């Protein structure tokens, strides 16, 4: 029987029910939720039900906090029993103390407790070998199925329809937008589809021609027989032993993340195919794979050695390649996804529903959800084997400590610069971003006999080469491979008009002009941050961060579609190599390689011949020194790098990596999207008001306040106290902000950090660095070359 609805939600698990409920809360009544079987029959019914709130991502923490607020109001078995995290090593305790600092910025009452206090709260544990612990009294547990049914009931009360035993057979699209969902019970015409299919999400995505990179993973836990008389036990996690526990009546639920995981699939060519009749079912028990976790569980809770096991739960859970949710609108208009909950979807379900409903109704999310946005997954994740390798690595290292600068190894190398071989031969230490191999620093630049290693976490994955490369840029010159930078061409008769609407700065200037600008959302938040080079009357080149290419490409295409603009928007990242030559001797070096004059000014571009290579030279900088970004067609890349290197050796040129760039940009106060700035910060708050041209119309203009109540301020900290991000900032005894980014400035000789402080804040604040409050001095930025003379 044919039907219609404005919004169709596919999947009746806790995610789909939450999205449906929150849509009705925003006034949407024409909503239908369909499920192939019964509600909760996917992964929800076998979830362990733990609800922890604190995460490294600030937005996810806020989402989880909202979940707890919501669960308190529902009749779903919410138990606010609190949660304990144990440290069985000094390194883990250092991590916990950092997390306690993060918690302060969100008002979460996470506190360090003694080993004795932990044992008193959870008397079943053996404290042997425990170094310390933290306790969050507002964490808890909930009945996942009861939660799903409660949310579905609320959705029905709000006007949504729920159809079970309705299998989706297809998703129709026209002109790049969804139009219809076909089911075995009839078709449903619609404007919006929300794919909440859990482990089935990839299959549903293929119906609309969308790749959703998730892998169903076998995830196990056991439920013990009754064996104790305690009531109100908190949840307990011991990540060093890979285990967690929660109370189940007078027994325990115990599970963890094993080092030898098992992806579950019916088709090894796709890694995400699931049998058509897999509804409300579990996988076979795999006791061999559970051995390590079982043995570890007895170390912390000795009774686990003797207690009877009532049942083992082995159910597939949908994991993404980075253990973050997969949310947002896909490249098909109106086709949204809320999946890939990575075994912590119960904790996030309330917040997921709220974020997704706002996204659908308002056209953009109300919070910065880039770390969960499906657009973060580049084209390499169309590969099932690449997706699988990354998902396995993330699952098997789920409880590992993540030091700053930690690098993944799975699926590497994949995307490489034309100069990759040169870098490897010359001692490069590579990092990876968005699939690209990038130089972090060169071991060959490490000096003999000196070590300025920062104390604490900042010194874990540090190298003295970073300071050497930093100083070379300030004193002579540095050469950097920035080929991974995302590059987007916008061309066509409406290109200039579209970009003037999208950008807050004036970008349709003379041919050859380079403009730094932001693209704002309707709330005035910074949705994108990039440079725009006008190459012709109807052709522009946008350069943005390596990890943000797919995001910015999607944003531009969305605005073009809304404007019905006659433009071509193309990702040309791989077509061009990009090398940056910066430093006081940069002009001398480049001058030996080109017959062309180098007299064009800062923030402009020119076509040059460098050596034997045709180059587009941009007079820009991200380090605060004279220099150029040099773009050439990729086939010339190696020749251009070698020519620059040879020409620079007489001038003491150093090749450098991204760790040095980070230190250099901190001294100059250049902002980083996703850390210092993002969709929840405006240009005026970020100190970027100079980009805003109020004499023209642009998206987000009406929402801007030129006199905001807070602003991004630069702090210098006590020697050796290096903040890295998320540390709390205290003013007059009250936590008022968190560090957005930080590090060490080798030229200014001081730790540097940035934070949004109230306007009028005094000259002194306090920052909690690894459990110790240190003094921060609020200073005017940039710290280095404030007049900007060196870049010119």
């Amino acid at each position: 029987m044919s039907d219609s609805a404005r919004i169709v939600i596919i999947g009746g698990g806790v995610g789909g029910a939450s999205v449906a409920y929150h849509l009705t809360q925003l006034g949407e009544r024409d909503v239908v939720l369909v499920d192939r079987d019964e509600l909760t029959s996917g992964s929800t019914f076998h979830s362990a039900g733990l609800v922890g709130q604190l995460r490294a991502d600030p937005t996810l923490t806020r989402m989880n906090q909202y979940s707890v607020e919501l669960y308190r109001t529902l009749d779903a078995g919410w138990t606010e029993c609190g949660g304990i995290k144990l440290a069985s090593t000094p390194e883990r305790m250092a991590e916990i103390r950092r997390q306690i600092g993060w918690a302060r910025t969100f008002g979460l009452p996470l506190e360090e407790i003694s080993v004795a206090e932990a044992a008193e709260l959870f008397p079943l544990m053996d404290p042997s070998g425990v170094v310390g612990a933290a306790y969050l009294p507002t964490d808890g547990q909930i009945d996942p199925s009861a939660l799903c049914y409660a949310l579905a009931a609320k959705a029905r009360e709000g006007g949504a329809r729920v159809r079970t035993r309705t299998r989706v057979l297809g998703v129709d699209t026209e002109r790049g937008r969804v139009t219809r969902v076909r089911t075995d019970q009839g078709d449903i015409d619609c404007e919006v589809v929300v794919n909440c299919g859990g482990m089935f999400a990839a299959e549903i995505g293929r119906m609309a021609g969308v790749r959703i990179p998730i892998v169903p993973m076998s995830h196990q836990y056991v439920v013990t027989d009754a064996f104790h008389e305690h009531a109100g036990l908190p949840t307990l996690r011991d990540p060093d032993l890979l285990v967690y526990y929660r109370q189940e009546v007078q027994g325990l639920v115990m599970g963890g993340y094993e080092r030898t995981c098992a992806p579950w699939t019916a088709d090894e060519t796709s890694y995400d195919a699931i049998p058509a009749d897999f509804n409300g079912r579990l996988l076979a028990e795999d006791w061999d794979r559970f051995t390590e976790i079982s043995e570890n569980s007895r170390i912390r809770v000795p009774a686990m050695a003797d207690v009877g096991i009532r049942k083992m739960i082995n159910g597939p859970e949908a994991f993404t390649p980075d253990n973050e949710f997969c949310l947002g609108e896909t490249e098909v208009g109106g086709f949204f996804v809320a999946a890939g909950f990575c075994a912590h979807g119960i904790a996030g379900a309330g917040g997921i529903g709220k974020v997704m409903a706002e996204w659908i109704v308002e056209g953009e999310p109300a919070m910065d959800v880039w770390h969960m946005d499906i657009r973060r997954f580049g084209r390499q994740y169309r590969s099932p084997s690449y997706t699988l390798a990354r998902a396995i690595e993330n699952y098997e290292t789920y409880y590992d400590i993540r030091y700053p600068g930690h690098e993944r190894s799975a699926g590497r190398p994949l995307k490489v610069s034309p100069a990759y071989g040169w870098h490897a031969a010359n001692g490069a230490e590579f990092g990876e971003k968005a699939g690209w191999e990038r130089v972090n620093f060169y071991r060959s630049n490490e000096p003999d006999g000196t070590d300025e290693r920062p104390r604490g976490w900042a010194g874990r994955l540090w190298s003295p080469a970073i300071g050497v490369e930093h100083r070379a840029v300030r004193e002579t010159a540095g050469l950097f491979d920035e080929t991974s930078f995302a590059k987007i061409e916008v061309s066509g008769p409406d290109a200039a008009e579209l970009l003037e609407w999208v950008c807050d700065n004036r970008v349709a200037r003379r041919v050859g002009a380079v403009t730094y600008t932001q693209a704002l959302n309707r709330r005035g938040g910074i949705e994108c941050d990039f440079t725009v080079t006008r190459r012709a009357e109807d052709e522009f080149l946008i350069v943005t961060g390596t990890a943000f290419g797919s995001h910015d490409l999607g944003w531009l295409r969305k605005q073009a579609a809304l404007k019905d603009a006659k433009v071509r928007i193309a990702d040309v990242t791989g077509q061009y190599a990009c090398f940056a030559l910066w430093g006081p001797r940069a002009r001398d070096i480049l001058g030996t390689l080109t017959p062309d004059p180098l007299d064009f000014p800062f923030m402009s571009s020119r076509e040059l011949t460098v050596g034997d290579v045709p180059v587009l030279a941009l007079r820009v900088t991200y380090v605060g020194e004279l220099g150029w970004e040099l773009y050439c067609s990729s086939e010339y890349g190696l020749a251009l790098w070698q020519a620059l290197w040879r020409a620079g050796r007489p001038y003491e040129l150093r090749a450098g990596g991204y760790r040095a760039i980070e230190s250099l940009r901190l001294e100059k106060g250049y902002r980083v999207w996703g850390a210092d700035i993002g969709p929840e910060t405006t240009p005026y708050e970020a100190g970027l008001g100079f980009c805003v041209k109020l004499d023209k119309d642009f998206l987000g203009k009406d929402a801007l306040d030129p006199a905001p109540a807070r602003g991004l301020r630069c702090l210098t900290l006590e020697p050796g106290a290096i903040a890295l991000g998320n540390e709390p900032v205290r003013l007059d005894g009250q936590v008022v902000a968190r560090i957005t980014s930080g590090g060490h400035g080798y030229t200014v000789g001081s730790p540097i950090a940035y934070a949004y402080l109230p306007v009028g804040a005094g000259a002194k604040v306090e920052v909690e660095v690894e459990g110790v409050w240190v003094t921060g001095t609020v200073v005017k930025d940039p710290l280095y070359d404030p007049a900007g003379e060196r870049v010119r």
Side-chain angles (χ1 to χ4, degrees):
M1 200 175 165
S2 64
D3 195 357
S4 66
R6 190 176 109 73
I7 302 169
V8 175
I9 300 168
I10 304 173
V14 69
S18 184
V19 172
Y21 163 65
H22 285 89
L23 282 169
T24 64
Q25 288 293 102
L26 295 181
E28 293 287 343
R29 299 290 178 261
D30 197 9
V31 178
V32 60
L33 183 153
V34 300
D35 191 273
R36 59 196 280 158
D37 194 62
E38 299 293 341
L39 298 182
T40 81
S41 62
S43 295
T44 297
F45 82 94
H46 60 69
S47 298
L50 280 71
V51 178
Q53 297 167 85
L54 183 64
R55 295 290 189 273
D57 177 31
T59 299
L60 182 53
T61 299
R62 289 156 58 197
M63 289 166 63
N64 289 353
Q65 286 179 277
Y66 170 78
S67 291
V68 168
E69 294 172 8
L70 174 63
Y71 299 168
R72 289 170 178 157
T73 71
L74 301 175
D75 182 15
W78 168 248
T79 302
E80 199 157 314
C81 55
I84 298 173
K85 183 174 183 179
L86 301 178
S88 297
T89 62
E91 293 78 12
R92 184 71 66 179
M93 197 63 226
E95 177 193 52
I96 286 176
R97 288 187 176 126
R98 283 176 54 81
Q99 292 169 343
I100 290 171
W102 301 348
R104 294 190 213 281
T105 69
F106 305 108
L108 282 172
L110 181 66
E111 60 179 332
E112 183 175 342
I113 60 175
S114 68
V115 177
E117 288 172 314
E120 183 178 352
L121 288 166
F122 199 97
L124 299 173
M125 67 172 273
D126 180 352
S128 301
V130 178
V131 176
Y135 175 60
L136 183 54
T138 55
D139 276 355
Q141 61 191 63
I142 198 167
D143 181 328
S145 294
L147 173 62
C148 182
Y149 279 105
L151 290 168
K154 290 282 189 181
R156 286 192 182 99
E157 291 174 10
R161 291 171 285 160
V162 177
R163 293 185 178 182
T164 58
R165 299 194 176 277
T166 302
R167 183 181 294 269
V168 172
L169 304 176
V171 177
D172 294 344
T173 64
E174 291 180 13
R175 298 182 180 181
R177 286 198 63 85
V178 294
T179 58
R180 185 178 301 105
V181 173
R182 290 182 284 109
T183 81
D184 59 358
Q185 303 299 313
D187 297 346
I188 308 173
D189 295 330
C190 58
E191 300 173 19
V192 173
V193 173
V194 191
N195 178 358
C196 297
M199 58 183 167
F200 304 100
E203 176 186 344
I204 296 166
R206 284 192 287 270
M207 296 177 183
V210 172
R211 167 68 175 162
I212 298 173
I214 64 169
V215 175
M217 305 288 287
S218 166
H219 188 66
Q220 301 184 117
Y221 64 87
V222 296
V223 182
T224 73
D225 291 335
F227 71 98
H228 65 83
E229 299 297 326
H230 301 288
L233 291 176
T235 61
L236 180 72
R237 293 175 175 85
D238 190 335
D240 293 307
L241 291 176
L242 311 177
V243 295
Y244 62 78
Y245 312 82
R246 73 161 174 83
Q247 185 162 3
E248 177 70 10
V249 195
Q250 302 310 128
L252 289 178
V253 164
M254 184 280 291
Y257 291 83
E258 66 275 15
R259 295 293 189 188
T260 53
C261 68
W264 179 71
T265 178
D267 180 354
E268 294 187 357
T269 63
S270 68
Y271 300 107
D272 55 25
I274 301 169
D277 62 347
F278 195 86
N279 303 310
R281 293 168 51 190
L282 296 171
L283 303 176
E285 299 173 352
D286 190 345
W287 284 101
D288 288 342
R289 190 163 51 83
F290 202 65
T291 298
E292 180 183 17
I293 290 174
S294 180
E295 292 176 348
N296 286 355
S297 75
R298 301 166 190 170
I299 297 173
R300 192 57 58 225
V301 178
M304 293 297 296
D306 303 310
V307 69
I309 301 300
R310 183 156 58 90
K311 58 183 174 181
M312 168 181 268
I313 305 296
N314 185 4
E317 297 270 2
F319 276 76
T320 62
D322 60 5
N323 280 340
E324 299 282 1
F325 301 150
C326 191
L327 309 178
E329 190 172 14
T330 68
E331 63 266 32
V332 174
F335 189 74
F336 289 79
V337 61
F341 291 173
C342 304
H344 57 276
I346 301 301
I352 289 167
K354 185 176 187 293
V355 164
M356 290 300 300
E358 292 168 344
W359 203 331
I360 293 162
V361 172
E362 300 296 331
E364 57 193 39
M367 295 193 288
D368 179 3
V369 293
W370 170 241
H371 291 98
M372 295 165 261
D373 194 320
I374 188 172
R375 291 174 294 176
R376 74 188 185 276
F377 294 117
R379 287 180 294 176
Q380 66 270 27
Y381 287 100
R382 296 177 185 176
S383 162
S385 58
Y386 185 82
T387 300
L388 178 69
R390 303 289 279 195
I392 288 175
E393 181 182 35
N394 274 282
Y395 185 101
E396 293 182 344
T397 60
Y398 189 90
Y399 275 143
D400 283 7
I401 296 173
R402 300 282 189 267
Y403 292 113
H406 172 83
E407 299 287 351
R408 297 293 188 184
S409 60
R412 297 177 58 186
L414 182 63
K415 296 187 281 188
V416 299
S417 159
Y420 175 79
W422 188 97
H423 302 319
N426 284 271
E429 187 75 18
F430 290 101
E432 177 266 334
K433 182 167 281 191
W436 281 95
E437 295 296 315
R438 312 193 320 166
V439 178
N440 282 337
F441 52 84
Y442 291 87
R443 293 288 179 190
S444 54
N445 284 331
E446 292 181 344
D448 294 330
T450 62
D451 192 344
E452 304 168 302
R453 184 175 303 276
R455 68 173 185 249
W457 276 52
R460 288 287 180 175
L461 300 176
W462 177 87
S463 166
I466 301 168
V468 172
E469 293 165 10
H470 173 117
R471 294 185 182 98
V473 175
R474 294 281 188 247
E475 297 167 6
T476 54
L479 182 61
F480 299 89
D481 189 338
E482 297 181 334
T483 298
S484 67
F485 275 11
K487 311 165 195 81
I488 301 169
E489 284 185 354
V490 182
S491 59
D494 293 342
E497 182 179 355
L498 172 68
L499 289 178
E500 282 296 326
W501 166 250
V502 168
C503 299
D504 61 354
N505 208 341
R506 193 171 297 284
V507 296
R509 299 160 57 215
R510 69 185 185 282
V511 173
V514 181
T515 306
Y516 169 61
T517 184
Q518 298 81 46
L520 309 184
N521 55 39
R522 292 189 304 116
R523 303 183 311 280
I526 301 172
E527 197 68 40
C528 311
D529 175 72
F530 45 56
T531 61
V532 180
T533 301
R534 191 168 198 172
R535 304 208 59 192
E537 288 300 316
D538 60 353
E539 181 182 338
F540 297 81
L541 174 66
I542 291 174
V543 179
T544 188
T546 301
F548 311 137
S550 58
H551 172 278
D552 295 0
L553 185 72
W555 182 259
L556 290 166
R557 285 177 172 168
K558 180 177 181 178
Q559 305 314 314
L562 291 172
K563 284 288 188 180
D564 196 24
K566 297 179 178 62
V567 293
R568 177 180 179 269
I569 302 174
D571 180 357
V572 295
T573 300
Q575 296 180 28
Y576 299 100
C578 172
F579 306 131
L581 176 65
W582 289 314
R585 305 305 302 271
R587 193 186 304 275
D588 298 328
I589 295 169
L590 192 59
T592 66
L593 291 171
T594 180
D596 301 309
L598 300 176
D599 56 353
F600 54 106
F602 184 58
M603 298 305 287
S604 65
S605 66
R606 182 175 291 177
E607 301 280 352
L608 303 176
T609 298
V610 178
D612 297 326
V613 179
V615 165
L616 171 66
L618 272 57
R619 270 279 276 120
V620 296
T621 183
Y622 196 54
V623 299
E625 298 290 344
L626 167 74
W628 293 263
E629 286 179 355
L630 304 171
Y631 295 81
C632 69
S633 186
S634 289
E635 67 269 24
Y636 293 105
L638 180 58
L640 178 60
W641 178 273
Q642 290 176 327
L644 291 166
W645 178 250
R646 288 192 297 267
R649 296 309 294 151
Y651 298 92
E652 300 183 42
L653 174 71
R654 291 262 188 185
Y658 277 86
R659 299 284 178 83
I661 291 177
E662 172 65 8
S663 175
L664 291 158
R665 77 93 194 163
L666 281 168
E667 293 185 334
K668 278 298 291 181
Y670 294 142
R671 281 39 171 160
V672 173
W673 193 87
D676 302 313
I677 56 177
E680 296 185 64
T681 55
T682 72
Y684 289 111
E685 291 175 321
L688 300 174
F690 64 90
C691 291
V692 180
K693 300 299 184 284
L694 295 175
D695 59 347
K696 67 162 191 162
D697 289 330
F698 57 87
L699 179 62
K701 175 182 176 180
D702 294 342
L704 291 178
D705 180 0
R710 64 171 191 162
L712 187 64
R713 302 299 303 275
C714 180
L715 313 176
T716 55
L717 306 183
E718 297 175 8
I722 297 180
L724 299 166
N726 283 339
E727 293 87 352
V729 181
R730 194 164 65 182
L731 180 65
D732 298 328
Q734 299 293 319
V735 173
V736 296
R738 64 178 180 85
I739 297 299
T740 58
S741 68
H744 185 71
Y746 291 90
T747 302
V748 301
S750 171
I752 305 168
Y754 291 86
Y756 283 92
L757 298 178
V759 170
K764 297 292 183 181
V765 296
E766 293 176 291
V767 181
E768 187 179 12
V769 179
E770 299 187 26
V772 178
W773 288 98
V774 301
T775 299
T777 302
V778 182
V779 296
K780 185 176 181 180
D781 69 301
L783 290 169
Y784 177 78
D785 186 27
E789 296 174 355
R790 293 179 69 92
V791 302
R792 302 180 187 280

